Amino acid sequence: IDNSTFTFVGELTGTNQTNPPYLDAVADLDANNNFYWTSTRNYPNELDNLFHGTFDSGKVTNIERVHGDFNKNTPGWLVMDHSISLDGTFLYFNNARFDDQNCQGPCEANIGIAKKINANTFTTLTNSSSILQNINDATYITYAPCISSDNLELYYTRYLKGQITANTIFEICVAVRNNA
């Protein structure tokens, strides 16, 4: 309706699972109508849990899994969050490890950057760790990356590792760079 008011018009067709337990979340869209989302469909039988398809008029078709070396392919590790660059070239992914026996929520998490190889494959940049060295901090759970349309601002969320309590402080942070 305006900059801060929205009206729900319905669920996307094609993206939501119908059989529980399920998680379909973290929707993102590039300028070419490539729609990306995280899903636990067929997990843990299939460990790569990032999907993409073609968005058109409230429907997502041509659905495929997104593959690449950014997938840990280890039970307990998920691509929890992600962000796609506006041109669809770069995937800002968040790997998170879950272990309900030893921690609440993700036990550890970090953000990485992968480059598109083809329609359903991305490869982690060799300098991803150095680019994100001031963001990924082992004392924090870092997640929810969101890259600006000009690729100069990376927003993300973090909190100190440990038990989540009423005193846990969740921070929305931004990292700014001069050159994409």
Side-chain angles (χ1 to χ4, degrees), residues 22-95:
Y22 51 83
L23 170 74
D24 294 296
V26 195
D28 205 356
L29 185 68
D30 70 16
N32 301 309
N33 289 331
N34 293 303
F35 185 85
Y36 294 84
W37 79 102
T38 296
S39 179
T40 56
R41 63 191 68 204
N42 299 324
Y43 183 87
N45 295 329
E46 296 188 55
L47 297 173
D48 43 353
N49 67 301
L50 183 62
F51 288 79
H52 79 93
T54 304
F55 176 81
D56 183 24
S57 303
K59 296 178 185 173
V60 178
T61 58
N62 305 317
I63 294 170
E64 295 184 80
R65 289 179 186 274
V66 177
H67 302 287
D69 63 356
F70 63 91
N71 286 305
K72 296 276 189 179
N73 292 317
T74 303
W77 281 96
L78 295 171
V79 175
M80 184 170 87
D81 295 312
H82 67 276
S83 178
I84 193 74
S85 63
L86 183 62
D87 66 2
T89 301
F90 294 101
L91 173 69
Y92 292 76
F93 61 90
N94 170 237
N95 286 36

Side-chain angles (χ1 to χ4, degrees), residues 36 52 64 66-67 88 115-123:
Y36 294 84
H52 79 93
E64 295 184 80
V66 177
H67 302 287
K115 186 173 183 178
K116 189 176 204 171
I117 302 303
N118 58 43
N120 65 344
T121 306
F122 287 80
T123 299

Side-chain angles (χ1 to χ4, degrees), residues 12 16 36 67 70 107 118 146 149 151 172 175:
L12 289 178
N16 297 307
Y36 294 84
H67 302 287
F70 63 91
C107 303
N118 58 43
C146 183
S149 60
N151 294 312
I172 298 174

Side-chain angles (χ1 to χ4, degrees), residues 84-137:
I84 193 74
S85 63
L86 183 62
D87 66 2
T89 301
F90 294 101
L91 173 69
Y92 292 76
F93 61 90
N94 170 237
N95 286 36
R97 184 176 63 83
F98 292 85
D99 177 354
D100 293 340
Q101 304 299 317
N102 296 305
C103 57
Q104 174 189 10
C107 303
E108 58 185 299
N110 58 51
I111 297 171
I113 308 168
K115 186 173 183 178
K116 189 176 204 171
I117 302 303
N118 58 43
N120 65 344
T121 306
F122 287 80
T123 299
T124 304
L125 296 179
T126 56
N127 59 347
S128 175
S129 294
S130 63
I131 292 170
L132 300 168
Q133 67 184 342
N134 294 327
I135 294 171
N136 290 321
D137 180 333

